[in-house]
Amino acid sequence: MADTEVRRIVWRSADVARIFIMGMFFLFVWRFFWMVHSALFIVMLAILIAIVIHAPAKRLTRLGVPFRFALPLMVIVFVGSLVGLMVAMVPELMAQVRLLATQLPETLDQVQVWFREQTGQGPESELSRSLSAQVSGFISRFVPIAFNMISTVLGSFAIIVLATFFAAQPDVYRNLLMRFVPVESRDRWERMYAEAGSNLRRWTLGKAITMLGIGVVTYIGLTLFKIPGALALAAFAALMEFIPNFGPTIAAAPAMVAAFAISPRTALYVAAFYFLLQQVQNAITVPLVERRAVNIPPAMLLVWQLMLAVGFGILALFVATPMLAVLAVAVRILYLEPSEERQTWNRRETETVPVPPDAQPPAVVNG
């Protein structure tokens, strides 16, 4: 019986130093990202807005309008639409907040009475107290979030300035990025840049159209239900549509609270309206926009959103999907494809059988 050979793994000093350097490098990258993540998220938002501005401007150039005129026109239309929406929305939102502040105790009493009538629970039951505490806690958390969203929208004008620079000369920033890439790797980086840009363009433009449609349908529905502040709630629903998975649920919450101020039955109707709207969206818009432009498994996207939301706040939710789309393309082109190519070449070299010396044809002797 042959002796069994035992292989021992020996850690050399160079291996330990290499692992230590890699650990310190990743720690530095994570610390740096933690310090500048807000700036990176703002840059990503500016890129998405630049796509929304640049795409229709390029469409106008096909109609004969010079780009130097088409781009400022699109910037004026975009900013004007945003300003008009804010002018019409802010008074309604303030009136809605004041209405909730004055009618909230009465609304909670109505909810408890309706809940007792439906379930037969007593006024001092644990379930009734739990429901009241949860509704009150939601209101106390929602109002600061609403004001933070307003301040974010108002601060987005600084992002629009950055987006205008990106939309005006996109090739300048592309060439600047490629200068930092080695020449032998530039082809892969250019392909990654082009594919990631194409995916972002399709996803952003599809989302913009979806947001507009959701806003219009929500405004019509809330107006039919006679919900106060329908324009502000519809604009909020359109904005939340930009966030996959979590956005529609967040948008439905303030509308249901406003509907409870009218009656619990109206709140149920509004909840059913948002539920049906979300089902139509999942059946039509998600396959057309999400899966075609950004081919990411839903579970992976959900985990990524949770990670960014817990670590970096609500701003990260707005850029979670486009960031993951870019990372997926970068990992596939810059890491997975080269690895598969190296494995293919290794298999070819292994399968190649060398010709033995005695199989060589004899040399011809001239004589």
Side-chain angles (χ1 to χ4, degrees):
M1 183 176 180
D3 296 336
T4 303
E5 182 180 358
V6 179
R7 301 185 60 183
R8 298 177 59 187
I9 299 176
V10 180
W11 288 88
R12 298 176 300 177
S13 300
D15 297 331
V16 176
R18 189 179 298 111
I19 294 176
F20 177 76
I21 292 174
M22 290 178 60
M24 293 298 296
F25 174 75
F26 282 112
L27 182 62
F28 170 77
V29 170
W30 175 254
R31 181 64 178 172
F32 178 77
F33 179 78
W34 182 266
M35 294 173 61
V36 302
H37 68 274
S38 297
L40 294 178
F41 294 158
I42 289 175
V43 170
M44 178 59 71
L45 286 176
I47 292 174
L48 299 178
I49 295 176
I51 293 174
V52 175
I53 297 174
H54 184 267
K58 293 296 290 184
R59 293 276 185 179
L60 289 178
T61 58
R62 299 176 184 176
L63 300 178
V65 181
F67 185 75
R68 63 179 181 274
F69 297 129
L71 181 65
L73 178 61
M74 288 298 100
V75 173
I76 293 173
V77 170
F78 184 82
V79 176
S81 301
L82 189 60
V83 171
L85 183 62
M86 290 298 299
V87 170
M89 186 181 68
V90 169
E92 284 194 7
L93 187 58
M94 294 301 174
Q96 187 70 19
V97 171
R98 288 194 298 268
L99 181 64
L100 288 176
T102 56
Q103 296 186 357
L104 181 59
E106 182 180 355
T107 302
L108 291 178
D109 293 338
Q110 293 178 2
V111 172
Q112 292 184 5
V113 171
W114 177 82
F115 183 76
R116 290 196 302 268
E117 292 176 353
Q118 300 298 321
T119 61
Q121 297 287 337
E124 299 298 331
S125 66
E126 182 179 353
L127 189 58
S128 179
R129 290 194 301 269
S130 176
L131 177 64
S132 177
Q134 290 179 5
V135 174
S136 300
F138 170 77
I139 296 297
S140 62
R141 289 192 299 268
F142 169 72
V143 173
I145 291 176
F147 281 102
N148 288 335
M149 294 299 299
I150 295 175
S151 62
T152 301
V153 173
L154 293 176
S156 64
F157 289 104
I159 303 177
I160 294 175
V161 176
L162 181 60
T164 304
F165 287 115
F166 287 155
Q169 295 177 319
D171 293 336
V172 172
Y173 302 100
R174 172 187 172 279
N175 296 334
L176 180 63
L177 176 64
M178 292 304 158
R179 289 180 183 177
F180 293 95
V181 179
V183 178
E184 60 273 12
S185 303
R186 195 163 294 176
D187 291 339
R188 289 189 182 276
W189 278 82
E190 288 181 351
R191 188 160 66 91
M192 184 271 293
Y193 186 94
E195 187 171 340
S198 177
N199 290 347
L200 281 182
R201 205 159 35 244
R202 292 198 301 267
W203 184 84
T204 305
L205 296 178
K207 271 295 183 182
I209 297 174
T210 305
M211 290 168 63
L212 180 61
I214 291 295
V216 172
V217 174
T218 303
Y219 177 74
I220 294 174
L222 295 181
T223 302
L224 293 177
F225 288 123
K226 298 180 180 180
I227 304 299
L231 179 61
L233 294 172
F236 184 71
L239 183 62
M240 289 296 102
E241 177 61 23
F242 198 79
I243 304 176
N245 299 322
F246 297 102
T249 303
I250 298 174
M256 291 180 60
V257 173
F260 262 115
I262 300 176
S263 68
R265 186 181 298 274
T266 304
L268 288 178
Y269 291 155
V270 170
F273 168 73
Y274 273 89
F275 177 77
L276 292 176
L277 183 61
Q278 187 174 1
Q279 297 308 309
V280 172
Q281 172 200 356
N282 293 333
I284 298 177
T285 61
V286 170
L288 294 178
V289 177
E290 300 284 343
R291 297 174 186 171
R292 289 190 178 183
V294 183
N295 188 16
I296 299 175
M300 182 179 179
L301 177 59
L302 183 59
V303 172
W304 174 256
Q305 287 178 318
L306 289 173
M307 291 171 56
L308 290 186
V310 172
F312 306 106
I314 192 172
L315 180 62
L317 286 176
F318 286 91
V319 298
T321 303
M323 284 186 65
L324 184 58
V326 174
L327 288 176
V329 173
V331 170
R332 177 171 55 82
I333 294 179
L334 301 180
Y335 176 73
L336 295 180
E337 290 184 0
S339 299
E340 292 175 356
E341 291 177 2
R342 285 193 297 268
Q343 292 177 3
T344 302
W345 281 107
N346 291 336
R347 286 195 299 268
R348 289 178 181 177
E349 292 177 357
T350 304
E351 294 173 357
T352 302
V353 180
V355 180
D358 54 359
Q360 297 291 337
V364 178
V365 180
N366 295 327

